[in-house]
Amino acid sequence: MKTAQWFRFPFVLLLIVCWASACAPVRAEAPQPARTAEVKRPRNLILFIGDGMGPQQIGLFELWAREAASSKYADRITNYRALANRGWMGLSLHSPAGALVVDSACSATQLATGQPAPPEVLGLNTRGDRVVTVLEAARAAGKATGLVSDTRITHATPGAFVAHVPHRSMETVIAEQVVASGADVLLSGGAQFFAPKGADRSWSGGAYDPGSKRSDGRDLAAEARAAGYTVAFDIAGLEGAGPRVLGLFSKSGMSDAFGDRRVRETGDTTGSREPTLAEMTHAALKRLEGDPDGFFLMVEAGQIDWAAHANDAGWMLAEMERMDSALAVISSWMAGREDTVLAVTADHETGGFGLSYHTLEVPAAVELPGNGMMGQPFHPGYNFGRSTTLDQIWAQKRSIGSAIDGLPTAKPERTAALAERLSSITGVNFSAAEAARALSVEGGDSERVGATKGPLFDPADIDQLWQAYRPSERDRVSAMASRALDDRRGVVWATGTHTHTPVPLVVVGPTDFAAGLGHLTHHVLVGQALFAWLGLPAPLQP
Ligand code: MG
Ligand code: ZN
């Protein structure tokens, strides 16, 4: 926004040199916007990332909206579907440089920079060099910029747009780079990386205990205020904030979609609560829309991925609905505008999720009145699933993982309490044996299965191999508990990590700029298109 700040960043200088010397970037498949006089280049770009939102997750959400009695969409049309129908839809691969399966840091880096990146880095290329992101380039061009996420601002997806670090886990450093980025609107969780060591509740104005993970006395909230930001810790703070705002609404990750939905459906006028994803999206648009040069905004629905890592279909569907509530805000803000491109995609698919037909409870034969039945009953050989399963998935009240928190430690009580909680959360009766089986996969985090050729790894042990694809203990217990439920209802999961599955890419906006990605593409090329749409200097090549 301020030209004086251009030269605070050496890489921006590099970018200008590169631009001026007309170095020719490799842009084999990136769309080339038409340069006719009547085409007005879009001023604004909104990139919406559903973390872990592959075609399977979209399929579950759309099937529920379309087929289930519990669908909240009276016309059965989700905001996602309406946007897809208005724009173009393509598929995008997202493989990292030198590997097959991507993580969120690498994937978001490839989107943010238009360059190949190795796994788990933020804002670096394959050589390990810092690379200009689309947010940084947009800011250098005078545009307002913003990041919104329902995880935490230092997490991989938002981090990739403002940070340059060799590993995504360096969240205290990422927090410093978030503040130094100068982005106008930064809304998420993650206060523990911003609060000075030993800070108490008063640091957040009483909103929550930040539980600092810093080992130094730096107070990044104070530094942000000195740089002209309002720092907000709850919805009241956000509503009263100025044009430049750093919102840190929770100690670590923000609330899951069940909490968000309760606020949206019941209305909660308490000023001290967290804002919903829809509210953060609205607040960001209202602050960015006034910039005469336009803006770049990235919004992340980040917990679809977390639910899928836990193999928790009920939580995942809730997160998809939260995702759509934020799209509703963007969609109505964009109505009638011709100056904005919206790209909706995912960084990857998580879980290898599916609804699958099986041989359990195959429906009995029925007579059909039609004239093509040749005297035969209608009798498919398998159970192809029922819409009531979608209602059951939607009816889940909390995440499966939340049932594990604060369980008694003594074994029989622990098992009984888990069975009771799972039954209450899901509305399906869990037996003590099923709860015991879920708890049988506790432990083992200290040595990852097979990571070393240590005594844990026995390739003949199927359960151990299953665990190798579920490296977090909490996700593992959740996945095993979910399995007891899912095996009975035609829900399957291939993994507790990510898959290579190409993800849908929806692009809505002025025709000449939005078209051209209704193809089979790759996130590196999508990243290059983001620069091209905004007329920003092409990204630097490695
Ligand atoms: Mg993410
Ligand atoms: Zn993930």
Side-chain angles (χ1 to χ4, degrees):
M1 296 180 93
K2 297 184 192 114
T3 44
Q5 286 168 329
W6 272 48
F7 298 99
R8 279 172 47 188
F9 304 97
F11 48 85
V12 170
L13 195 60
L14 248 177
L15 180 143
I16 293 161
V17 170
C18 179
W19 193 6
S21 62
C23 62
V26 184
R27 252 195 289 162
E29 292 176 51
Q32 297 296 323
R35 299 196 187 283
T36 52
E38 60 277 14
V39 174
K40 256 190 93 187
R41 185 177 289 283
R43 295 157 64 235
N44 313 316
L45 173 58
I46 304 169
L47 174 61
F48 190 99
I49 300 177
D51 197 317
M53 186 171 74
Q56 297 97 311
Q57 285 72 19
I58 292 165
L60 171 68
F61 178 54
E62 293 296 337
L63 261 187
W64 167 74
R66 184 189 154 104
E67 306 289 343
S70 56
S71 168
K72 57 166 271 189
Y73 296 91
D75 59 0
R76 308 268 162 186
I77 308 284
T78 65
N79 295 292
Y80 180 87
R81 184 171 164 199
L83 286 164
N85 290 350
R86 248 167 76 190
W88 287 261
M89 194 171 205
L91 275 182
S92 191
L93 296 159
H94 34 67
S95 51
L100 302 179
V101 185
V102 85
D103 78 291
S104 297
C106 168
S107 189
T109 294
Q110 295 188 142
L111 284 171
T113 66
Q115 297 195 32
E120 298 193 337
V121 305
L122 291 180
L124 304 183
N125 65 17
T126 53
R127 260 178 48 88
D129 288 327
R130 297 160 59 103
V131 196
V132 175
T133 71
V134 64
L135 183 147
E136 291 160 347
R139 183 168 140 73
K143 292 181 185 294
T145 54
L147 296 174
V148 169
S149 172
D150 57 11
T151 64
R152 52 182 185 265
I153 199 75
T154 51
H155 210 257
T157 310
F161 291 83
V162 288
H164 304 271
V165 292
H167 199 270
R168 54 184 289 174
S169 60
M170 300 171 66
E171 293 191 58
T172 49
V173 180
I174 295 168
E176 293 157 18
Q177 297 188 2
V178 164
V179 173
S181 74
D184 301 281
V185 178
L186 296 156
L187 308 177
S188 192
Q192 61 192 350
F193 302 108
F194 293 75
K197 185 180 179 185
D200 61 18
R201 234 182 147 81
S202 64
W203 178 85
S204 66
Y208 52 82
D209 183 345
S212 172
K213 289 213 166 172
R214 297 197 67 84
S215 56
D216 58 24
R218 276 183 78 173
D219 181 347
L220 298 182
E223 291 181 26
R225 284 188 200 100
Y229 287 92
T230 308
V231 182
F233 299 103
D234 52 25
I235 181 67
L238 177 60
E239 281 166 357
R244 282 164 67 77
V245 55
L246 168 63
L248 298 169
F249 303 113
S250 61
K251 165 185 158 179
S252 179
M254 291 186 70
S255 295
D256 65 25
F258 296 104
D260 196 301
R261 192 200 303 170
R262 255 190 305 279
V263 171
R264 282 185 287 120
E265 289 183 353
T266 62
D268 180 347
T269 51
T270 336
S272 59
R273 65 166 171 84
E274 291 180 22
T276 64
L277 182 59
E279 286 170 337
M280 290 193 290
T281 303
H282 179 78
L285 287 169
K286 283 294 141 197
R287 279 165 184 79
L288 300 175
E289 68 183 1
D291 193 296
D293 300 304
F295 66 81
F296 168 79
L297 171 64
M298 192 287 299
V299 178
E300 182 195 25
Q303 296 197 35
I304 303 163
D305 174 70
W306 295 4
H309 276 290
N311 289 182
D312 185 337
W315 179 15
M316 191 171 80
L317 179 56
E319 292 297 344
M320 285 297 294
E321 194 273 330
R322 159 152 74 167
M323 179 283 301
D324 205 60
S325 72
L327 283 186
V329 171
I330 294 172
S331 183
S332 61
W333 181 85
M334 280 180 74
R337 299 188 79 107
E338 277 298 312
D339 61 355
T340 304
V341 172
L342 166 67
V344 184
T345 191
D347 46 1
H348 50 73
E349 191 273 341
T350 305
F353 171 80
L355 299 174
S356 188
Y357 73 75
H358 50 84
T359 61
L360 307 172
E361 298 174 39
V362 176
V366 291
E367 299 300 327
L368 286 184
N371 65 10
M373 293 307 290
M374 303 172 75
Q376 302 279 322
F378 171 68
H379 196 195
Y382 299 95
N383 182 341
F384 287 93
R386 301 175 179 90
S387 71
T388 49
T389 296
L390 300 167
D391 296 318
Q392 188 191 81
I393 293 171
W394 176 250
Q396 192 173 309
K397 295 190 193 82
R398 286 194 290 136
S399 72
I400 300 279
S402 70
I404 304 159
D405 297 330
L407 281 175
T409 43
K411 206 163 186 186
E413 290 82 0
R414 190 171 177 80
T415 307
L418 181 62
E420 192 193 313
R421 288 185 194 181
L422 290 172
S423 306
S424 136
I425 286 171
T426 63
V428 176
N429 208 29
F430 270 80
S431 67
E434 287 165 334
R437 186 159 183 227
L439 292 172
S440 75
V441 293
E442 281 186 308
D445 259 4
S446 53
E447 187 176 354
R448 292 189 166 189
V449 173
T452 61
K453 290 201 171 70
L456 252 179
F457 184 50
D458 173 3
D461 186 335
I462 298 276
D463 280 347
Q464 233 178 52
L465 285 173
W466 183 89
Q467 292 186 40
Y469 291 85
R470 288 160 184 87
S472 132
E473 178 185 30
R474 185 188 172 88
D475 287 347
R476 203 156 53 233
V477 174
S478 167
M480 192 56 94
S482 296
R483 195 169 156 185
L485 186 63
D486 290 345
D487 280 352
R488 292 181 251 167
R489 64 185 186 185
V491 171
V492 297
W493 298 90
T495 183
T497 71
H498 303 167
T499 71
H500 79 293
T501 309
V503 294
L505 168 68
V506 167
V507 184
V508 182
T511 310
D512 290 345
F513 291 92
L517 280 183
H519 301 307
L520 180 55
T521 182
H522 189 286
H523 274 16
V524 169
L525 300 170
V526 177
Q528 291 175 17
L530 303 182
F531 281 78
W533 287 336
L534 286 178
L536 297 170
L540 299 180
Q541 292 305 303

